[in-house]
């Protein structure tokens, strides 16, 4: 069964350093989401792509976070510089083309980030 | 887009017992979904119920939807230790954004 791939699974970095996460959605899925999940809370949407276009990045801290999906397939989320408060799980999800908006999302295993 | 609010925040039961979790939302929806998240992992889609459906089953899962009360419940029957996880509801208004609540943390004791 096809899955959403994410790497790395774990990342430890020092504050003020740059960090990047990668996501490969299920083949053919047009919609890709990046979420941040702080321990004990639900996932919070950071950015949503439809193909290569950003649909929603209203909650993305644009002074330090950036996201791209250049060819409408895989995606990279970057943080520069990292801050202590960025320690969280970063989840990627995708949805199939052709389904109505916001139907089933398929999540990757996540990247757990620890900023020291 | 809107947020579902799950209740209770935490639930602890014995293996074999049933677990019921509730979700409330504020405005009209197209459908409502339930997701499960095992500790340290991504979310897994469990079930989707449309606004014109009142009840749906999938294995040991039973979901009900009451649009007049703007609420949904997830029942897990004959729970197992492997059901220990966080459960999130996601009401869908047909908009672009899914807003997850804090979830219900279920602990099933063996």
């Amino acid at each position: 069964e096809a899955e959403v791939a994410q790497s790395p699974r774990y990342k430890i970095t020092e504050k003020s350093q740059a960090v990047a996460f990668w996501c490969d959605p299920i083949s053919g899925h047009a919609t890709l989401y990046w979420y941040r999940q702080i321990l004990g809370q639900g996932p919070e949407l950071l950015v949503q792509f439809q193909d290569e276009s950003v649909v929603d990045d209203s909650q993305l801290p644009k002074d330090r976070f950036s996201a791209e999906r250049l060819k409408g397939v895989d995606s990279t989320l970057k943080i520069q510089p990292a801050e202590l408060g960025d320690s969280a799980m970063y989840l990627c999800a995708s949805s199939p083309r052709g389904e109505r908006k916001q139907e089933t999302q398929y999540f990757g295993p996540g990247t757990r980030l620890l900023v020291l | 887009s809107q947020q579902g609010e799950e209740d209770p925040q935490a639930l602890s039961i014995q293996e074999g017992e049933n677990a019921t979790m509730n979700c409330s939302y504020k405005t009209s929806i197209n459908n409502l979904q339930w997701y499960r998240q095992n500790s340290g992992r991504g979310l897994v889609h469990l079930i989707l119920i449309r606004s014109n459906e009142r009840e749906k089953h999938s294995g040991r899962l039973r979901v009900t939807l009451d649009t007049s009360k703007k609420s949904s419940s997830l029942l897990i029957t004959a729970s197992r230790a492997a059901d220990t996880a966080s459960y999130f509801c996601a009401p869908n208004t047909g908009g672009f954004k899914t807003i997850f609540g804090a979830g219900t943390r279920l602990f099933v004791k063996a």
Side-chain angles (χ1 to χ4, degrees):
Chain A
E1 183 176 325
E3 295 179 342
V4 175
Q6 288 188 250
S7 67
R9 290 294 310 279
Y10 304 93
K11 181 70 178 179
I12 300 174
T13 190
E14 294 183 345
K15 63 180 181 180
S16 80
Q17 295 298 305
V19 63
F21 313 129
W22 177 79
C23 173
D24 191 13
I26 293 173
S27 179
H29 281 199
T31 309
L32 185 147
Y33 316 81
W34 282 103
Y35 290 90
R36 176 173 60 188
Q37 185 177 25
I38 295 170
L39 193 64
Q41 298 182 19
E44 173 195 17
L45 181 68
L46 292 176
V47 62
Q48 178 180 338
F49 291 91
Q50 184 71 20
D51 297 310
E52 66 276 7
S53 301
V54 173
V55 171
D56 185 343
D57 64 356
S58 58
Q59 300 303 310
L60 188 71
K62 298 181 187 64
D63 57 334
R64 297 186 301 107
F65 285 64
S66 64
E68 60 182 17
R69 193 185 184 198
L70 292 176
K71 296 183 179 179
V73 181
D74 58 340
S75 176
T76 302
L77 178 69
K78 296 180 181 177
I79 308 175
Q80 184 174 16
E83 296 180 354
L84 296 178
D86 296 331
S87 294
M89 174 78 89
Y90 290 83
L91 294 164
C92 179
S94 66
S95 291
R97 183 185 300 278
E99 291 198 2
R100 287 180 292 170
K101 299 298 183 185
Q102 290 299 306
E103 297 227 359
T104 303
Q105 296 183 42
Y106 298 84
F107 283 79
T111 295
R112 184 171 294 282
L113 173 67
L114 178 60
V115 182
L116 302 174
Chain B
S1 56
Q2 65 174 303
Q3 179 176 359
E5 294 186 8
E6 297 89 352
D7 174 70
Q9 291 185 346
L11 181 60
S12 181
I13 60 174
Q14 290 291 140
E15 203 167 32
E17 294 180 340
N18 296 341
T20 300
M21 288 157 268
N22 303 297
C23 171
S24 60
Y25 55 92
K26 291 187 168 58
T27 64
S28 298
I29 59 172
N30 288 344
N31 64 66
L32 185 142
Q33 302 173 54
W34 285 91
Y35 289 82
R36 181 188 75 227
Q37 184 179 34
N38 291 89
S39 180
R41 305 301 301 273
L43 279 71
V44 174
H45 182 262
L46 293 177
I47 197 164
L48 181 153
I49 185 166
R50 302 193 185 281
S51 60
N52 62 352
E53 297 175 311
R54 292 295 167 258
E55 187 171 311
K56 202 162 182 180
H57 296 256
S58 176
R60 294 184 295 111
L61 305 181
R62 172 179 168 248
V63 169
T64 62
L65 180 64
D66 187 334
T67 52
S68 66
K69 295 182 179 178
K70 294 185 171 57
S71 67
S72 174
S73 67
L74 171 66
L75 169 68
I76 304 174
T77 60
S79 63
R80 306 166 181 168
D83 295 327
T84 294
S86 292
Y87 292 82
F88 298 90
C89 70
N92 175 8
T93 59
F96 283 95
K97 184 183 293 187
T98 295
I99 302 178
F100 291 93
T104 291
R105 283 156 192 75
L106 172 66
F107 181 66
V108 181
K109 294 177 282 188

